[in-house]
C-alpha cells in the first residue's frame, strides 16, 4: 500500500492553556485532493503549520512524506510546495526572477532552473509576462505565479491555504484547471478554503474541522447524503412570516436566516405546489439540490466566528 504523504495521529497544540488543535487525526491518500474545512478559529492554520514542521506540537505524531516532524522538517519540506494565503512575491524582482530566486532556496542549479521556468510560466499562463515587474500583474496573475512558484521544486505534496480568496470567477476557474492538472500528474493536494463550491469541485475527501477536532470526513457526495436532506427550498418575501407555520407541514427541517427561510426536505413537490398558489402574498422561492455549504452550516452553525 502506498505511503501516506501526510499522517497525523493524536495531535494537540495549546496556546495559553486553550486547545487550538485537540487530538487531531488525519491521513492523506496519495494522488488525491484532501480538503480541510472549518470556520475561523477551527484550528486549520495551526494544523498546517504543525504539518509543515514550522511549530512543535504539545503531543502527537506527524510524518510528512515519511519524515518525522518537527525533527526532520527541513528534509521533508524539500519535497513540499506551499501556496500561502498571501502571495509574498518579491516586488523588486520580475516574474522570472521570483521563480529563479525561489528555486535557488531549494538548491536547484541555474541550468536546471533555466529548463523548469518556461514550463512553470506556461502552467500559470504567464509566458508573456516573464520579464514583467510584480506590480504590473493583476491579482489573478499574482495568484497563478504563487502557485507556479510552489511547484519550482517539483513537490510531491502541495499545501494550498485559501488559494483563490479575493479572485474573480475567471481567475478562480483558471486556478482550478491548474490544480486538476496537478492531480492528473499524481500530486497530492491539501486544500483549505472557505468556498464550498471549490471544495465540492476539487476535493476527493473532505475533513470538516471545528474546535480543533475533525468532526466528519468523507467525499463531498457522501457528506451531503449523510448529513442533509436532498432538497432545499429557499423562501423569501413579504409574506414569509405568515407562511412559516405552514412550512412545517411539508419540510423535515426549517431554518430562518435574516429574510430567508431555508426549507430542507426529501419531497419538495408539496412545498412547491403550496408556494406556487401563493403569488399574491409576495412570496418568492428558489428550489435547488442540497450542497456542501448546507452540510457545513448545519455542522458548524451559522454564527459569525472572529
Amino acid at each position: 500500500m502506498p505511503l501516506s504523504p501526510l499522517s497525523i495521529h493524536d495531535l494537540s497544540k495549546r496556546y495559553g492553556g486553550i486547545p487550538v488543535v485537540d487530538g487531531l487525526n488525519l491521513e492523506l491518500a496519495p494522488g488525491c485532493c484532501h480538503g480541510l474545512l472549518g470556520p475561523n478559529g477551527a484550528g486549520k492554520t495551526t494544523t498546517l503549520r504543525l504539518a509543515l514542521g514550522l511549530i512543535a506540537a504539545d503531543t502527537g505524531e506527524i510524518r510528512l512524506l515519511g519524515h518525522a516532524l518537527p525533527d526532520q522538517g527541513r528534509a521533508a519540506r524539500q519535497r513540499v510546495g506551499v501556496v500561502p494565503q498571501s502571495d509574498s512575491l518579491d516586488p523588486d524582482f520580475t516574474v522570472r526572477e521570483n521563480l529563479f530566486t525561489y528555486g535557488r532556496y531549494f538548491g536547484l542549479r541555474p541550468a536546471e532552473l533555466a529548463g523548469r521556468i518556461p514550463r512553470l510560466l506556461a502552467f500559470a499562463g504567464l509566458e508573456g509576462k516573464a520579464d514583467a515587474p510584480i506590480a504590473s500583474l493583476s491579482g489573478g496573475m499574482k495568484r497563478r505565479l504563487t502557485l507556479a512558484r510552489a511547484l519550482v521544486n517539483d513537490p510531491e505534496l502541495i499545501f494550498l491555504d485559501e488559494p483563490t480568496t479575493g479572485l474573480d470567477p475567471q481567475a478562480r476557474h483558471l486556478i482550478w484547471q491548474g490544480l486538476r492538472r496537478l492531480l492528473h500528474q499524481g500530486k497530492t493536494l491539501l486544500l483549505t478554503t472557505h468556498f464550498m463550491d471549490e471544495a465540492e469541485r476539487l476535493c476527493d475527501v473532505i475533513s470538516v474541522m471545528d474546535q480543533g477536532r475533525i468532526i466528519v470526513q468523507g467525499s463531498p457526495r457522501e457528506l451531503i447524503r449523510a448529513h442533509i436532506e436532498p432538497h432545499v427550498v429557499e423562501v423569501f418575501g413579504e409574506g414569509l412570516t405568515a407562511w412559516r407555520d405552514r412550512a412545517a407541514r411539508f419540510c423535515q427541517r426549517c431554518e430562518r436566516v435574516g429574510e430567508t427561510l431555508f426549507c430542507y426536505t426529501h419531497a419538495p413537490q408539496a412545498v412547491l405546489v403550496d408556494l406556487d398558489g401563493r403569488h399574491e402574498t409576495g412570496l418568492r422561492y428558489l428550489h435547488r439540490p442540497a450542497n456542501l455549504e448546507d452540510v457545513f452550516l448545519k455542522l458548524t452553525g451559522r454564527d459569525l466566528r472572529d
Side-chain angles (χ1 to χ4, degrees), residues 167-225:
L167 299 185
D168 61 30
Q170 291 87 346
R172 289 179 71 201
H173 279 273
L174 282 172
I175 287 181
W176 291 347
Q177 290 172 17
L179 296 181
R180 291 190 191 97
R181 291 203 296 274
L182 293 175
L183 290 169
H184 292 154
Q185 294 168 17
K187 308 291 187 186
T188 303
L189 310 181
L190 178 59
L191 170 72
T192 75
T193 180
H194 286 297
F195 295 117
M196 297 299 113
D197 61 328
E198 182 167 275
E200 201 166 338
R201 286 169 180 265
L202 294 175
C203 294
D204 301 290
V205 178
I206 286 172
S207 298
V208 179
M209 190 174 181
D210 201 11
Q211 298 182 343
R213 292 177 173 270
I214 291 175
I215 55 176
V216 293
Q217 182 173 290
S219 72
R221 288 291 99 197
E222 289 169 347
L223 294 180
I224 292 168
R225 281 197 301 267

Side-chain angles (χ1 to χ4, degrees), residues 108-257:
L108 298 173
R109 298 185 303 276
E112 191 173 6
L113 284 166
R116 288 191 184 190
I117 286 175
R119 294 196 296 271
L120 293 172
L121 292 172
F123 176 87
L126 296 171
E127 301 99 316
K129 297 288 184 178
D131 298 314
I134 297 303
S136 71
L137 302 183
S138 68
M141 290 176 181
K142 290 177 182 177
R143 211 65 185 129
R144 294 190 330 254
L145 178 58
T146 299
L147 176 56
R149 188 185 64 174
L151 306 177
V152 73
N153 58 326
D154 192 23
E156 300 171 43
L157 170 62
I158 304 159
F159 287 69
L160 301 133
D161 194 4
E162 301 183 24
T164 62
T165 296
L167 299 185
D168 61 30
Q170 291 87 346
R172 289 179 71 201
H173 279 273
L174 282 172
I175 287 181
W176 291 347
Q177 290 172 17
L179 296 181
R180 291 190 191 97
R181 291 203 296 274
L182 293 175
L183 290 169
H184 292 154
Q185 294 168 17
K187 308 291 187 186
T188 303
L189 310 181
L190 178 59
L191 170 72
T192 75
T193 180
H194 286 297
F195 295 117
M196 297 299 113
D197 61 328
E198 182 167 275
E200 201 166 338
R201 286 169 180 265
L202 294 175
C203 294
D204 301 290
V205 178
I206 286 172
S207 298
V208 179
M209 190 174 181
D210 201 11
Q211 298 182 343
R213 292 177 173 270
I214 291 175
I215 55 176
V216 293
Q217 182 173 290
S219 72
R221 288 291 99 197
E222 289 169 347
L223 294 180
I224 292 168
R225 281 197 301 267
H227 294 282
I228 208 80
E229 296 81 0
H231 295 272
V232 184
V233 183
E234 298 182 20
V235 187
F236 46 94
E238 295 176 3
L240 181 62
T241 301
W243 185 81
R244 182 175 183 174
D245 292 338
R246 291 183 60 82
R249 305 180 189 180
F250 312 116
C251 303
Q252 280 66 50
R253 186 167 56 89
C254 293
E255 186 175 359
R256 183 164 183 172
V257 182

Side-chain angles (χ1 to χ4, degrees), residues 69-141:
L69 298 187
D71 294 345
Q72 299 172 352
R74 184 178 179 84
R77 288 192 293 271
Q78 290 292 313
R79 299 157 55 198
V80 172
V82 180
V83 178
Q85 286 185 29
S86 56
D87 292 323
S88 66
L89 300 165
D90 194 318
D92 296 324
F93 292 162
T94 65
V95 169
R96 189 198 314 274
E97 289 167 344
N98 265 273
L99 295 173
F100 183 90
T101 304
Y102 199 72
R104 293 293 287 157
Y105 292 149
F106 288 95
L108 298 173
R109 298 185 303 276
E112 191 173 6
L113 284 166
R116 288 191 184 190
I117 286 175
R119 294 196 296 271
L120 293 172
L121 292 172
F123 176 87
L126 296 171
E127 301 99 316
K129 297 288 184 178
D131 298 314
I134 297 303
S136 71
L137 302 183
S138 68
M141 290 176 181

Side-chain angles (χ1 to χ4, degrees), residues 23-42:
L24 188 84
N25 292 283
L26 183 66
E27 200 90 15
L28 267 59
C32 294
C33 180
H34 194 117
L36 187 62
L37 309 183
N40 292 332

